[in-house]
Amino acid sequence: MTSSLKTFIHSLDPKSLPRILQIQSGFYDEGSVSETFGHESCLSTGDVIKVVDLKVKKLSAGKCECEDGSLCSPASVDLPLDFPGFCRLVADKTPYVNVEEIVRKVSIGPTQLQDPCFYSSVDLEVENLSIHQGEKIIFSSVEDNNGTLTVSCRVDRNNRWHAFLLPISQEGDFYESEDNKIYSLKEVAEWKISKSRCRHVVFTNICCIQKHTNKFPVDFDGCVVLSPIYEVHAVMKFQKEIVCFLSDLDVEVKDVTDCYNINSFLQPLSMKDILKRTDNDFPIVVAVIEGPRGNKQPFSLLCPSREIVIYKKHQAKRILASEIKSRFQKRHFLIPTNYKGKFKRKPREFPTAYDLEIARSKKEELHVIATKAFEFPHEEQCSVSIGDQFLVPRCQTSEVDQKRKKVANSLACEQILLPNKTYKEVFLPMCMEGSFVEIVHDRKQYELWEICKDLCMPFNVRVSIRDLSNQEDILAGIQNLQLEEEITDTYLLISNFNNPTEIWEVPVHRVNMVAQLLSEDAEDIVLFPGNSIVEEITEEQYYMVRKYEMETKNPPPRPPKAPIIEESKTSFSAIPAQNSWDTPRPIKVLFG
């Protein structure tokens, strides 16, 4: 059946790739189709191509009807994925008729952003659990359960998660739940537009949009319908290069996959294809068609025409770190936990007393000096002068520690009174917009695993002994480095086919590679220990890692800037000083 290229691609399930298409009509001059290496090509009537991948290139913003039936958005305009607009999703009112349709059309897992939410129009009975009509169901992942495809789901009841499995054969009308999150256009394009459907959104930053573009009218209210325009990656017959063209070309195509020998084409694999393979599908041998540029390991292994072995995919831990700079753009790094260099501590800065509370650890007291004065009008809480020094106690789990935390948004600590170095118990208001700098007494040289085990991140360090196992340690010249958090990411273990003893980790989500599958019969290949490098990442990659790291624990909200003092309920004298921390230090007489 013949259809327009745009209609075919819009309804195409990416899981069904590759597909063989024959061009039925249309001819394009040089420049309409380009190869991945920059060479230009063209599509002619009768050409046969194999579509191997789809990527959203831009979004078409079309007309949206308001509640009164009038059109409240402009005629269709094309928006790039980096368009400076943020939007809120409008729940799709068209139901999915079964779980299988959801699996085919909606992105599910592995990040929290890809956990779509639905509700059923009727009650469901699953695994000794009753799911009520209208109850929000979170779809987490698709799993093979004893040969049956199921979806791992969960519901939240009274702040407790209840997990269960839904078979994809489950019938019933499933509606999309309301979503109050704010998304960028890139996030909407990648995860929030179902196949063969459009996405209704409402822009939340209309004023900012109007400043950046004149594509929308002055009275634009933010309502649009977004349709994806794809960049189609395909292979021409008798060629190994991948060609790219947009899905909105005015071309008629016919799907001839069922009556064509797909093996007459080369079989390129993208990183996405490799990631979809199960653990039993490795190791494999591939020839690189397109890879990242670079003469350093492991990226030098991915140069075109190089044959490599991909042993497996696995999850590896990294420490996310950033250079501390006041002026220039910061550099960001992902440091493997087996990094062999050593670190020395550097002073941390804390803008408020609340940051001191968060930074408390179980191992040691926190010694800081104030670099900004702060006057507080209430006698119960301490005012601060420049140069004042304080000791913040270690964390405790005792009832006394829990009680002390609740005292009128204050941080209980000791002020060091010089020159006699006597100690006075004080309460710093959490809202204090002061500034504190840590005084570091620890001269120990730490390995990275020690910091992860014993110290609380974020943590400021510098490299005192570089990693001698690497010819060039890119961390060695950085004077101030902040270790921010531990993350988990997906990597491939690869090696040169002719040198299988040297194995490297390659990040799946930050490397673009296209390869030709050569062999799946590589069971006799021995897996040697893998090597890893310190990876420098871009600003965009840094924020993506921070946003989608599932294990990230957000701190509690900051206290109000203007604290409320309830005189009738607050009594600081009721808390004995000797019970405030582990090893009580007697309060010495300061006068006479």
Side-chain angles (χ1 to χ4, degrees):
M1 181 177 178
T2 300
S3 64
S4 69
L5 177 66
K6 183 176 182 179
T7 301
F8 178 82
I9 295 299
H10 188 59
S11 61
L12 179 62
D13 181 5
K15 300 182 184 71
S16 70
L17 294 176
R19 306 298 296 179
I20 307 297
L21 303 183
Q22 186 178 54
I23 308 301
Q24 297 296 299
S25 66
F27 179 85
Y28 283 88
D29 295 331
E30 301 289 323
S32 298
V33 184
S34 62
E35 296 178 1
T36 52
F37 294 104
H39 306 298
E40 294 179 343
S41 184
C42 60
L43 288 178
S44 304
T45 301
D47 281 349
V48 179
I49 61 175
K50 181 170 75 170
V51 177
V52 295
D53 197 13
L54 302 174
K55 293 181 180 179
V56 179
K57 187 68 174 179
K58 55 185 177 180
L59 292 171
S60 175
K63 296 179 179 179
C64 178
E65 287 190 0
C66 298
E67 293 182 357
D68 59 3
S70 62
L71 295 177
C72 53
S73 65
S76 179
V77 295
D78 290 344
L79 303 177
L81 298 187
D82 59 356
F83 183 75
F86 293 92
C87 54
R88 183 175 282 111
L89 307 182
V90 178
D92 193 345
K93 296 180 181 179
T94 304
Y96 295 82
V97 297
N98 51 39
V99 174
E100 182 182 5
E101 185 182 6
I102 296 176
V103 171
R104 282 192 292 106
K105 295 184 176 181
V106 180
S107 296
I108 302 176
T111 67
Q112 287 180 330
L113 195 67
Q114 292 171 270
D115 284 352
C117 301
F118 297 89
Y119 65 89
S120 173
S121 60
V122 296
D123 292 344
L124 301 176
E125 296 291 334
V126 290
E127 298 181 351
N128 300 321
L129 185 66
S130 296
I131 307 300
H132 307 306
Q133 174 187 353
E135 186 172 13
K136 184 177 179 180
I137 306 172
I138 300 176
F139 286 54
S140 300
S141 61
V142 180
E143 302 175 357
D144 187 344
N145 188 25
N146 296 324
T148 302
L149 279 182
T150 58
V151 180
S152 176
C153 304
R154 64 185 190 274
V155 293
D156 182 11
R157 293 177 179 173
N158 299 322
N159 294 321
R160 293 187 62 184
W161 291 111
H162 299 268
F164 59 94
L165 297 177
L166 272 180
I168 64 170
S169 59
Q170 179 71 53
E171 299 288 336
D173 289 341
F174 292 87
Y175 291 85
E176 188 177 46
S177 297
E178 295 289 341
D179 187 346
N180 294 321
K181 298 186 183 71
I182 303 298
Y183 297 96
S184 68
L185 280 194
K186 185 175 181 180
E187 291 167 343
V188 173
E190 291 181 348
W191 293 301
K192 295 303 177 181
I193 300 182
S194 302
K195 288 302 298 181
S196 74
R197 298 195 183 195
C198 299
R199 167 56 72 187
H200 290 244
V201 301
V202 179
F203 283 108
T204 59
N205 57 336
I206 299 176
C207 294
C208 178
I209 291 174
Q210 299 285 17
K211 291 179 182 178
H212 283 84
T213 181
N214 57 0
K215 293 182 177 181
F216 298 102
V218 177
D219 59 348
F220 175 54
D221 68 349
C223 299
V224 293
V225 179
L226 298 178
S227 301
I229 297 176
Y230 293 90
E231 181 181 73
V232 182
H233 293 202
V235 178
M236 310 289 285
K237 194 172 183 181
F238 307 122
Q239 297 182 19
K240 69 176 182 178
E241 290 81 8
I242 292 180
V243 298
C244 304
F245 51 88
L246 295 180
S247 61
D248 60 351
L249 291 181
D250 187 15
V251 173
E252 297 289 319
V253 297
K254 182 180 180 181
D255 188 346
V256 295
T257 305
D258 295 336
C259 56
Y260 210 89
N261 182 11
I262 199 169
N263 294 324
S264 62
F265 289 87
L266 296 178
Q267 300 183 41
L269 295 174
S270 65
M271 275 292 194
K272 185 189 299 184
D273 297 324
I274 296 172
L275 189 59
K276 289 178 183 177
R277 299 174 75 91
T278 66
D279 293 340
N280 295 330
D281 295 332
F282 294 97
I284 58 175
V285 180
V286 300
V288 178
I289 297 175
E290 179 189 4
R293 296 179 180 178
N295 55 6
K296 297 180 181 178
Q297 298 284 30
F299 306 113
S300 60
L301 293 175
L302 304 180
C303 61
S305 302
R306 178 72 56 81
E307 293 186 7
I308 62 173
V309 181
I310 302 178
Y311 295 90
K312 66 176 183 177
K313 59 181 180 181
H314 75 128
Q315 299 288 308
K317 292 183 178 180
R318 293 291 187 269
I319 304 301
L320 182 63
S322 296
E323 184 179 16
I324 302 174
K325 277 188 175 182
S326 57
R327 288 186 177 181
F328 304 103
Q329 186 175 8
K330 295 180 180 179
R331 298 168 67 191
H332 305 286
F333 307 92
L334 288 174
I335 309 173
T337 52
N338 62 355
Y339 176 79
K340 296 180 175 59
K342 291 191 175 182
F343 300 92
K344 277 191 174 182
R345 296 175 61 169
K346 297 280 287 187
R348 291 171 285 178
E349 296 184 6
F350 306 96
T352 67
Y354 181 69
D355 294 286
L356 295 176
E357 168 70 22
I358 293 176
R360 292 198 310 149
S361 71
K362 295 181 180 180
K363 182 181 179 182
E364 60 184 359
E365 295 175 314
L366 180 61
H367 186 188
V368 297
I369 183 170
T371 58
K372 182 179 178 180
F374 183 88
E375 293 290 333
F376 201 75
H378 302 280
E379 294 182 358
E380 296 90 344
Q381 293 175 311
C382 176
S383 296
V384 175
S385 301
I386 295 177
D388 286 352
Q389 295 187 31
F390 300 91
L391 278 180
V392 181
R394 291 176 286 182
C395 284
Q396 299 181 50
T397 57
S398 65
E399 294 181 2
V400 173
D401 188 63
Q402 295 298 322
K403 184 177 180 181
R404 180 179 53 77
K405 287 183 180 179
K406 300 177 183 178
V407 176
N409 291 329
S410 296
L411 172 65
C413 59
E414 289 182 315
Q415 183 178 3
I416 303 175
L417 301 175
L418 302 176
N420 297 326
K421 203 174 182 180
T422 53
Y423 299 88
K424 174 185 176 183
E425 182 186 16
V426 296
F427 293 92
L428 297 178
M430 291 283 197
C431 65
M432 177 185 291
E433 293 184 353
S435 180
F436 302 90
V437 175
E438 182 181 20
I439 299 176
V440 177
H441 303 282
D442 185 1
R443 303 301 177 191
K444 179 181 176 180
Q445 296 188 106
Y446 288 89
E447 294 186 32
L448 188 58
W449 67 269
E450 293 179 291
I451 296 177
C452 298
K453 178 177 178 291
D454 298 330
L455 302 172
C456 182
M457 287 188 273
F459 206 75
N460 294 359
V461 296
R462 69 173 177 85
V463 175
S464 56
I465 300 177
R466 73 177 187 87
D467 187 347
L468 299 177
S469 64
N470 292 326
Q471 292 183 351
E472 181 183 358
D473 186 351
I474 59 177
L475 300 179
I478 299 176
Q479 293 301 312
N480 292 285
L481 188 69
Q482 184 174 77
L483 306 180
E484 298 181 12
E485 63 178 318
E486 184 180 279
I487 70 161
T488 303
D489 207 353
T490 306
Y491 291 82
L492 296 179
L493 286 181
I494 70 168
S495 76
N496 188 327
F497 181 74
N498 297 319
N499 183 18
T501 61
E502 191 172 334
I503 296 177
W504 293 88
E505 286 182 334
V506 173
V508 170
H509 300 298
R510 291 178 298 280
V511 169
N512 290 322
M513 181 187 73
V514 178
Q516 177 189 350
L517 180 62
L518 298 180
S519 173
E520 296 180 292
D521 301 323
E523 292 85 355
D524 57 338
I525 295 179
V526 179
L527 179 60
F528 291 88
N531 300 300
S532 53
I533 64 167
V534 176
E535 182 186 356
E536 184 168 357
I537 59 177
T538 65
E539 192 85 2
E540 181 182 6
Q541 291 170 341
Y542 167 79
Y543 286 111
M544 293 291 280
V545 167
R546 290 297 304 269
K547 185 168 185 177
Y548 304 133
E549 172 55 29
M550 296 184 64
E551 299 300 327
T552 301
K553 295 182 179 179
N554 295 321
R558 288 187 177 275
K561 289 187 176 180
I564 300 174
I565 304 296
E566 300 183 36
E567 295 181 0
S568 62
K569 298 181 181 180
T570 304
S571 177
F572 295 98
S573 59
I575 301 179
Q578 64 267 23
N579 293 331
S580 294
W581 32 76
D582 287 276
T583 52
R585 194 181 283 109
I587 299 178
K588 301 180 181 180
V589 178
L590 305 177
F591 306 101

